[in-house]
Amino acid sequence: MEKTFIMVKPDGVQRGLIGDVVSRFEKKGYQLVGAKLITVSRDLAEQHYAEHKEKPFFGELVDFITSGPVFAMVWQGQNIIATARQMMGKTNPSDALPGTIRGDYGVNVSMNIVHGSDSPESAEREIALWFEKSELN
Ligand code: ATP
Ligand code: MG
């Protein structure tokens, strides 16, 4: 069964949105296979966002994701990678539709509440980066 990495970012944790995000995926019928609340090291943040290393916002992105605890999760279900991205909405909350997580709660392109893997390759890489095998059910 397909798995994806979903993370509630520091803004989402601070605003008390973990439960809402978890609830949306549960109600969709997806299965939670791992979860933890962690403060991210700079090293992990830089590895996670390695594809954006050359972007002008990279420093800001790493600062933000290490600014407070995140809620990291692995979810499983049919076609979950693409569907989770639809449930999250567009990267910039001002482009995200109402009914999506970012459309409903996102503030700006940095404070956009959630991360979700964007492809099977990213999902595999991110799950291995964030979780030990023994932490997954
Ligand atoms: P994520 O990877 O967090 O799920 P995404 O895949 O929708 O988001 P990416 O293009 O991978 O978007 O960008 C990663 C993150 O970098 C975004 O979620 C956003 O917080 C931040 N970001 C993207 N573009 C910008 C920008 N122009 N300025 C500031 N931050 C940005
Ligand atoms: Mg991305």
Side-chain angles (χ1 to χ4, degrees), residues 47-55 118 122 125-126:
Q47 286 189 64
H48 174 73
Y49 280 125
E51 65 172 310
H52 299 302
K53 211 166 45 206
E54 309 303 331
K55 306 266 171 70
D118 62 9
S122 302
R125 186 185 78 85
E126 291 168 7

Side-chain angles (χ1 to χ4, degrees), residues 24 84-106 112-114:
R24 287 175 186 240
R85 297 277 296 183
Q86 288 177 336
M87 290 166 67
M88 288 162 45
K90 292 271 174 63
T91 307
N92 190 334
S94 46
D95 301 328
L97 295 174
T100 66
I101 296 167
R102 288 164 169 171
D104 288 347
Y105 308 124
N112 64 1
I113 314 291
V114 280

